[in-house]
Amino acid sequence: MAVLGIPILEDLYPSTMDMWPLEAKEFNRNWMFYENLKQGRLTTTKCKDCGLVSYPPRVICPECYSENLEYIDLPKKGKVIVFSEEVKGVPLGFQSPLIHAVIDLGVDPARRVLSRITNCAAGTLQRGDEVQLAVFPVPALPIDKGKLGTIMSERVFFAFEPVKK
Amino acid sequence: MARNAVILAGGQCKWGVREAHLVDLFQEAAKACFDDIPTLKPKDVDGLIVASSYAGRCSFQVNTAPVIAERVGVKPTSICTRCDTLCAGGSTGIILAMGLVQAGAADIVMVAGGEKLYTPQKWEVFYSELASVDHDWDGVHGMGLPPPFFALTAQEHMMHYGTTKEQLAAVSVANYNYATTNPVAQMQKALTLEEAMNAPVVVPPLTLYDCCPITDGAAVCIITTDEIARKFTDRPLVYIRGTAQVCLNSVSANFPGVHLADWKHTRIAAEKAYTRAKVSASDIKVAQTHDCFSISEVIEVEDLGFCKKGEGGEFCGSKQIEIGGKVPINTDGGLLACGHPFGATGIRQGTEIMKQLQGRARHQVKDADIGLTHNLSGANAEHTILIYGKEPVK
Ligand SMILES: [Zn+2]
């Protein structure tokens, strides 16, 4: 039922309440990260001038301020260093259990990446377990293009999931 | 001739689940502050710094400084602005006010911090907290809510240093018991070690009393120069001797320590603040640490230099944080028992240290002459330290 004056209840999409990144190239110069993710690749940027690999990706090298960057692949598998399981008080948009882990992807600077662990029942994960990249679709972003109308920009995001033993 | 900054007065409203609007809380806290220094009037204040990070999300109010100025009845002519460093907002405000009065750009600055976190629908608080960290890289993983992050931190401290659950519980017991006599604290219940050990699980290994509550509240203090302060009070003056605020990362993947329990940024902030204040860790007679979680206080006593790295559990578990111990800490109840309305916390901490150094604290530390406050903010991204003393740095 639409309630006037409250857009969230008028079937409009309030992106200021959006828990997902604005991945579209209209709003994010890191859009290649998300395009790569749609291909199942976890990537980040490397500076072609000074060689610095940054995670997360950048549009300008934080070391030498060069704009001459390229996307490189990060490993898709890693090992769990520590993890936490949240059962109660999980925020809107997440299912219980909400599991977080510090994952070693084995390369710098991604030796301690903090990620959500999905497709994993409570009480089953262990330290040292191998996990792999899990890419999943998230709600498309409606973008107002003026006279052209509203387009739907498809989106994905990632977590890690246990590798079946 | 350089001007010396002092903290002249401070006060807070009752913290907890409040039936009040954000601006009501600011008014109550301002009244408590002026009650603390009855000779000072709102018209004497020429600067205002407002510390509030959630006004925009929870009260639909941004551009808070003029709104708060009008409501608390001050008419700033030197500075009127907001600062947003979440849990450290109050401390950041005091540092900025200090700089302004030392430089002669302002004379009497009110630093006012507050948050109204309880919304009519409680789920909105948890959702809004996702905005406290880098939205695209951590918030999106559900990491804005602090308990999971500090549970990982506690696990790493236990793994690397053998810290026990009982040592964590000792922090909660000490801080809760200080707050039993604090009428404006959110929690005023005496806590036993047994109760703390048997409390419901939040995120393992953290249980209920290991975590500070969600809190509505505000606090206000006044920063001015020693010369101006003497016109308003005969109390001993409390100088801001040295400060530091350090931020080495925001995204969790780039945490600066070798593991989550290794707080390199705290150590750098402490070293800078000690150097500027011309004191060392052993000079600190009383402290306020950022005990958002019991594990935080354990790590802070190490990285602030009160004990060796890895011995924080033992230090806290052996009553060194209590009156009569090496460094009495959080003598008003800390975040664990007072609660933590983010922007207000650093002001509450500074006010308690001021009272300790003036000999009028509720749980008075004998002969306290140097005190320290410490905040961390975000997912352990920033560290903010202020050192107060009864004498200026010479
Ligand atoms: Zn570079």
Side-chain angles (χ1 to χ4, degrees):
Chain A
M1 184 187 70
V3 177
L4 290 176
I6 305 180
I8 194 171
L9 301 177
E10 288 177 354
D11 296 330
L12 294 176
Y13 190 96
S15 63
T16 51
M17 281 284 292
D18 195 348
M19 61 181 266
W20 306 104
L22 300 180
E23 299 177 1
K25 68 179 185 339
E26 289 89 339
F27 295 98
N28 196 333
R29 286 188 58 201
N30 280 328
W31 61 276
M32 270 304 294
F33 173 87
Y34 302 102
E35 287 303 308
N36 293 336
L37 203 56
K38 285 174 188 167
Q39 314 304 318
R41 295 166 57 201
L42 182 67
T43 55
T44 195
T45 49
K46 179 179 182 177
C47 175
K48 287 188 184 175
D49 288 334
C50 78
L52 183 84
V53 178
S54 303
Y55 180 85
R58 310 291 175 109
V59 295
I60 292 169
C61 173
E63 182 69 31
C64 73
Y65 266 51
S66 164
E67 293 182 71
N68 191 15
L69 309 181
E70 61 179 341
Y71 274 87
I72 60 163
D73 281 85
L74 289 169
K76 292 195 281 188
K77 283 187 178 177
K79 281 207 160 48
V80 172
I81 299 171
V82 282
F83 68 93
S84 69
E85 291 187 351
E86 191 181 8
V87 178
K88 282 189 284 186
V90 170
L92 185 76
F94 297 91
Q95 285 180 329
S96 176
L98 178 55
I99 303 177
H100 290 106
V102 179
I103 298 166
D104 182 358
L105 290 181
V107 293
D108 288 320
R111 292 194 180 274
R112 295 184 61 85
V113 171
L114 212 154
S115 171
R116 182 154 68 106
I117 304 292
T118 54
N119 303 322
C120 181
T124 59
L125 196 67
Q126 300 201 330
R127 284 178 192 163
D129 276 1
E130 196 175 31
V131 288
Q132 63 192 9
L133 185 71
V135 180
F136 51 88
V138 301
L141 179 70
I143 302 175
D144 181 351
K145 290 277 190 181
K147 284 179 186 160
L148 299 173
T150 294
I151 61 157
M152 297 304 286
S153 177
E154 301 301 319
R155 290 189 292 181
V156 295
F157 204 69
F158 72 98
F160 281 78
E161 64 186 3
V163 173
K164 297 264 184 314
K165 284 173 196 162
Chain B
M1 183 69 193
R3 309 210 307 176
N4 291 312
V6 301
I7 177 168
L8 176 61
Q12 66 169 90
C13 64
K14 172 81 175 81
W15 288 9
V17 185
R18 290 297 316 273
E19 295 179 337
H21 189 281
L22 176 68
V23 295
D24 299 335
L25 301 175
F26 273 99
Q27 288 172 78
E28 290 180 22
K31 178 174 167 49
C33 179
F34 285 119
D35 284 350
D36 191 45
I37 185 81
T39 49
L40 186 80
K41 302 297 173 200
K43 65 172 172 50
D44 298 318
V45 171
D46 72 315
L48 174 68
I49 297 172
V50 173
S52 184
S53 287
Y54 272 68
R57 288 197 80 93
C58 295
S59 303
F60 207 82
Q61 183 68 65
V62 295
N63 191 25
T64 48
V67 175
I68 301 304
E70 164 127 10
R71 297 296 185 100
V72 304
V74 298
K75 295 180 168 32
T77 52
S78 297
I79 188 76
C80 181
T81 188
R82 179 177 78 121
C83 76
D84 168 17
T85 51
L86 198 68
C87 319
S91 293
T92 312
I94 296 173
I95 292 175
L96 296 173
M98 171 195 77
L100 289 166
V101 302
Q102 282 177 342
D107 287 327
I108 301 178
V109 180
M110 170 185 280
V111 184
E115 315 283 352
K116 170 68 190 169
L117 296 174
Y118 284 97
T119 53
Q121 295 282 316
K122 204 171 166 185
W123 64 263
E124 286 196 54
V125 186
F126 300 125
Y127 190 80
S128 288
E129 286 204 325
L130 300 179
S132 304
V133 293
D134 188 309
H135 174 277
D136 287 7
W137 302 102
D138 281 327
V140 71
H141 284 288
M143 275 311 296
L145 233 57
F149 184 82
F150 283 90
L152 294 169
T153 303
Q155 284 185 35
E156 294 222 283
H157 204 271
M158 289 168 153
M159 260 167 61
H160 291 281
Y161 306 114
T163 303
T164 66
K165 174 69 184 157
E166 198 162 23
Q167 289 168 340
L168 298 185
V171 174
S172 316
V173 169
N175 296 0
Y176 265 76
N177 289 343
Y178 281 132
T180 51
T181 57
N182 181 353
V184 287
Q186 183 166 5
M187 305 294 181
Q188 289 159 52
K189 99 184 210 78
L191 184 68
T192 66
L193 194 63
E194 196 182 10
E195 282 173 298
M197 291 297 288
N198 296 324
V201 172
V202 176
V203 184
L206 303 177
T207 56
L208 185 63
Y209 300 111
D210 290 311
C211 311
C212 74
I214 293 168
T215 311
D216 300 332
V220 168
C221 71
I222 301 290
I223 307 299
T224 184
T225 70
D226 49 359
E227 238 169 68
I228 296 169
R230 283 199 192 95
K231 294 177 191 164
F232 292 98
T233 186
D234 296 326
R235 286 176 187 149
L237 295 181
V238 174
Y239 292 84
I240 306 169
R241 290 181 61 106
T243 69
Q245 186 165 41
V246 171
C247 179
L248 305 179
N249 75 303
S250 162
V251 173
S252 58
N254 295 318
F255 190 76
V258 295
H259 50 68
L260 291 175
D262 173 35
W263 293 6
K264 181 183 175 185
H265 35 359
T266 320
R267 293 194 294 274
I268 294 173
E271 195 184 313
K272 285 219 164 192
Y274 290 144
T275 302
R276 287 168 184 166
K278 293 188 182 170
V279 298
S280 63
S282 59
D283 295 317
I284 306 298
K285 304 284 172 43
V286 59
Q288 291 270 327
T289 64
H290 195 90
D291 55 328
C292 49
F293 295 89
S294 54
I295 184 61
S296 312
E297 186 160 327
V298 166
I299 298 172
E300 285 150 8
V301 296
E302 299 169 350
D303 288 323
L304 292 170
F306 299 155
C307 66
K308 283 192 192 139
K309 188 69 203 166
E311 294 179 2
E314 167 69 20
F315 188 85
C316 295
S318 62
K319 300 195 184 295
Q320 298 303 317
I321 55 173
E322 295 175 37
I323 304 253
K326 198 172 169 199
V327 189
I329 294 174
N330 294 327
T331 45
D332 58 350
L335 284 72
L336 283 171
C338 291
H340 180 33
F342 314 123
T345 286
I347 298 166
R348 172 189 63 74
Q349 293 180 321
T351 301
E352 171 68 6
I353 293 297
M354 172 190 72
K355 288 180 177 172
Q356 286 284 359
L357 269 49
Q358 290 173 336
R360 60 186 181 110
R362 207 169 271 111
H363 298 282
Q364 182 63 44
V365 176
K366 199 165 167 281
D367 300 329
D369 57 351
I370 303 281
L372 174 150
T373 66
H374 163 257
N375 286 131
L376 68 85
S377 57
N380 204 347
E382 275 195 276
H383 285 268
T384 310
I385 295 175
L386 288 93
I387 295 170
Y388 297 86
K390 292 178 76 168
E391 299 289 333
V393 178
K394 288 190 186 97

